[in-house]
């Protein structure tokens, strides 16, 4: 008989729970073992530039020009619209619930240093283009790597047309498979790494650090939950999915996003489960998910919009309609430059806060809750990438419903009304 093994999702969830308990009880000890968690993060991050580089080149090279213009353009449109809607939703939630009201800024951020980021929109856009791809790979500049990989993939596709006998693409495919296998090996120790990361964070900061900003976290959490619900409704109706099945099939992706607070570290799991649990075709996932990691940051756009509005509320700043529109636009643009590693939120805020006439030192107010905010930001970043891939795949007839539902289940035909029904109502 085969030995039963706990699912990776269950193991990670257990690691998170035990990490919180361990951090609360053994604060100093938990803080001292943080380097073990950092080793785990580095083991994952060391392969991410090569993973993104190889996956996008292969995906673009295997597309014909019509496909690239077709679902490639559709992907970018969804990215832009969804990120702007996320930022707008964040502004709306902040206007409704006013998370900055009643927050006392005295004593916040003492001893916290925030680097000034005097970066204009032009500088941000210029930073998308690499001057040296080797330097970009070394620094892990994901958006520069993506741009170069797209051009390289187009050039390789044209080369393959002139020399169809070339084995370059086959070698690249095998290289990508080796990188995936390498990451799979590292993921075997994910529960240990995540346990240490959670324990050290709680041990260092303590639960009390979130108390002054509970309203801010509650509003941001509610906004994230509602926006995710909207995404699930749209995808379920358009793709004719059972919503609960969709949520279940994305459990491991969501758990990894919450636990690691990193889109980059979650990418390998997202690629695997999108193919093996959601039934999305490989040609879609290999292009959309790596692209989305930098170009579709719904969570980051919402985070910056809500946080800026919270800071404005703390300091009594009031914006006109045009000012609110500017916040939405700049939050969306800044989300494109958002780093895909834990703790990048403060850097992104340092880019836009000075441009909105708000004090730079206000960013330090949120330093203590960055890890908790990162959980919410990352789950929306990651799931919105997967939801985009599902919308694109449906339009390209590239969803395998047998994989999504399990090969022994019948595929239902759903209406919008069916999506809104609960499972209990259906049984009755």
């Amino acid at each position: 008989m085969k030995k039963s093994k706990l699912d990776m999702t269950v193991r990670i969830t257990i690691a998170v729970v035990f990490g919180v308990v361990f951090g609360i009880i053994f604060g100093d000890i938990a803080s001292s073992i943080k380097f073990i968690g950092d080793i785990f993060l580095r083991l994952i991050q060391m392969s991410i530039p090569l993973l993104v580089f190889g996956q996008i080149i292969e995906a673009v090279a295997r597309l014909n020009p019509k496909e690239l213009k077709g679902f490639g353009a559709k992907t970018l449109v969804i990215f832009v619209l969804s990120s702007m809607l996320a930022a707008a939703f964040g502004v709306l939630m902040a206007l409704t619930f006013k998370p900055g009201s009643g927050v006392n800024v005295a004593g916040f951020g003492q001893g916290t240093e925030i680097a000034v980021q005097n970066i204009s929109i032009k500088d941000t856009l210029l930073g998308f283009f690499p001057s040296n791809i080797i330097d970009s790979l070394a620094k892990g500049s994901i958006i520069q790597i993506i741009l170069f990989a797209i051009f390289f993939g187009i050039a390789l596709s044209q080369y393959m047309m002139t020399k169809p006998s070339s084995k370059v693409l086959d070698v690249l495919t095998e290289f990508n498979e080796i990188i995936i296998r390498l990451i799979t090996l590292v993921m075997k120790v994910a529960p240990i790494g995540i346990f240490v990361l959670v324990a050290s964070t709680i041990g260092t900061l303590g639960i009390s650090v979130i108390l002054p900003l509970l309203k801010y976290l509650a509003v941001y959490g509610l906004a994230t939950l509602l926006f995710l619900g909207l995404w699930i409704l749209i995808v379920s109706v358009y793709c004719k999915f059972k919503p609960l099945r969709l949520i279940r099939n994305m459990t491991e992706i969501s758990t990894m996003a919450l636990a690691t607070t990193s889109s980059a570290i979650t990418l390998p799991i997202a690629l695997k489960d999108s193919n093996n649990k959601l039934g999305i075709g490989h040609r879609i996932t290999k292009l959309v998910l790596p692209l989305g990691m930098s170009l579709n940051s719904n969570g980051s756009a919402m985070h910056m919009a809500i946080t800026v509005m919270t800071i404005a509320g703390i300091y009594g700043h009031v914006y006109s309609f045009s000012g609110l529109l500017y916040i939405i636009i700049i939050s969306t643009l800044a989300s494109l430059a958002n780093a895909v590693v834990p703790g990048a939120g403060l850097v992104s805020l340092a880019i836009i806060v000075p441009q909105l006439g708000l004090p730079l030192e206000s960013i330090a107010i949120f330093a203590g809750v960055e890890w908790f905010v990162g959980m919410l930001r990352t789950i929306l970043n990651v799931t919105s990438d997967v939801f985009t891939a599902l919308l694109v795949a449906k339009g390209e007839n590239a969803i395998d419903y047998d994989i999504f539902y399990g090969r022994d289940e019948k595929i239902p035909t759903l209406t919008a009304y069916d999506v809104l029904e609960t499972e209990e109502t259906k049984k009755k």
Side-chain angles (χ1 to χ4, degrees):
M1 294 180 64
K2 293 183 178 179
K3 292 182 179 180
S4 60
K5 293 184 178 180
L6 289 176
D7 182 78
M8 177 62 77
T9 305
V10 177
R11 284 185 281 164
I12 291 174
T13 303
I14 293 172
V16 171
V17 173
F18 275 88
V20 171
V21 174
F22 189 88
I24 293 173
I25 298 174
F26 305 101
D28 293 337
I29 297 175
S31 301
S32 66
I33 61 174
K34 182 178 182 293
F35 73 96
I36 298 175
D38 291 336
I39 290 173
F40 166 69
L41 291 180
R42 291 193 179 197
L43 286 173
I44 293 290
Q45 289 171 319
M46 70 180 181
S47 304
I48 296 302
L50 293 177
L51 174 68
V52 174
F53 186 72
Q55 292 287 335
I56 290 185
I57 290 176
E58 182 184 351
V60 173
R62 291 191 184 280
L63 296 175
N64 60 49
K66 289 184 178 179
E67 286 180 319
L68 186 59
K69 292 178 182 178
F71 81 75
K74 189 186 302 181
T75 298
L76 293 177
V77 169
I78 296 174
F79 283 173
V80 173
L81 289 178
S82 62
S83 292
M84 289 196 72
L85 284 174
F89 194 73
V91 169
L92 178 63
M93 291 292 288
L95 288 173
T96 303
F97 294 101
K98 302 185 183 338
S101 62
V103 177
N104 183 6
V105 297
F108 273 109
Q110 290 182 354
T112 303
E113 294 184 2
I114 302 294
V116 178
Q117 303 285 323
N118 294 318
I119 302 175
S120 66
I121 294 177
K122 289 191 295 183
D123 291 333
T124 301
L125 293 175
L126 183 62
F128 293 170
F129 297 86
S131 59
N132 185 332
I133 188 56
I134 303 300
D135 182 59
S136 300
L137 286 166
K139 292 179 179 178
S141 303
I142 296 297
I143 199 163
Q144 295 183 357
I145 294 170
I146 287 174
L147 193 65
F148 180 86
I150 290 173
F151 279 103
F152 193 100
I154 294 171
L156 180 57
S157 177
Q158 294 177 351
Y159 178 79
M160 296 291 292
M161 290 179 183
T162 59
K163 294 188 178 181
S165 61
S166 174
K167 301 295 182 182
V168 174
L169 189 55
D170 293 335
V171 171
L172 178 64
T173 300
E174 291 185 3
F175 174 80
N176 288 341
E177 290 174 358
I178 293 170
I179 293 295
I180 290 291
R181 186 160 297 189
L182 187 157
I183 293 173
T184 302
L185 289 174
V186 175
M187 288 306 300
K188 291 183 182 297
V189 299
I192 298 173
I194 288 169
F195 164 79
V196 174
L197 289 170
V198 173
S200 61
T201 301
I202 297 297
T204 302
L205 300 176
I207 294 295
S208 61
V209 76
I210 70 171
L211 295 180
L213 293 173
L214 274 179
K215 187 177 181 181
Y216 162 75
L217 289 174
V219 172
Y220 186 24
L222 178 62
T224 301
L225 186 63
L226 292 176
F227 202 77
L228 279 173
L230 181 61
W231 258 120
I232 291 169
L233 178 63
I234 292 171
V235 172
S236 297
V237 171
Y238 183 66
C239 298
K240 299 181 180 178
F241 288 156
K242 288 181 179 179
L244 292 181
R245 183 75 186 211
L246 175 60
I247 295 170
R248 191 177 101 185
N249 288 359
M250 292 182 63
T251 300
E252 188 171 341
I253 298 172
S254 302
T255 304
M256 181 61 69
L258 285 169
T260 63
T261 69
S262 171
S263 301
I265 294 171
T266 311
L267 179 60
I269 296 294
L271 285 167
K272 176 177 70 71
D273 283 6
S274 293
N275 297 141
N276 300 339
K277 293 182 180 180
L278 298 174
I280 306 174
H282 287 273
R283 69 192 180 97
I284 304 293
T285 57
K286 286 184 176 182
L287 182 66
V288 175
L289 295 187
L291 273 177
M293 194 168 63
S294 282
L295 301 182
N296 187 40
S297 298
N298 285 194
S300 298
M302 180 183 288
H303 161 240
M304 282 182 272
I306 287 182
T307 306
V308 164
M309 292 294 293
T310 301
I311 294 172
I314 291 173
Y315 289 93
H317 284 252
V318 178
Y319 293 101
S320 63
F321 177 78
S322 60
L324 296 176
L325 186 60
Y326 182 69
I327 290 174
I328 293 170
I329 294 172
I330 197 171
S331 295
T332 303
L333 289 175
S335 72
L336 298 178
N338 193 53
V340 291
V341 294
L346 297 179
V347 177
S348 299
L349 286 172
I351 295 174
I352 68 172
V353 165
Q355 298 184 46
L356 293 167
L358 298 171
L360 183 66
E361 59 271 16
S362 63
I363 300 171
I365 298 172
F366 303 89
V369 295
E370 169 60 19
W371 184 74
F372 302 98
V373 169
M375 295 172 67
L376 298 171
R377 183 174 61 235
T378 305
I379 191 171
L380 187 52
N381 281 343
V382 171
T383 53
S384 63
D385 293 344
V386 177
F387 290 145
T388 299
L390 283 167
L391 294 180
V392 173
K394 177 63 177 176
E396 298 296 315
N397 196 27
I399 297 177
D400 189 330
Y401 284 85
D402 285 341
I403 292 177
F404 183 89
Y405 283 106
R407 298 195 178 276
D408 57 344
E409 291 191 32
K410 185 177 179 181
I411 302 170
T413 301
L414 296 180
T415 64
Y417 178 75
D418 293 328
V419 171
L420 297 174
E421 284 188 311
T422 62
E423 290 299 308
E424 290 78 9
T425 304
K426 290 180 182 179
K427 288 177 182 178
K428 292 178 183 178

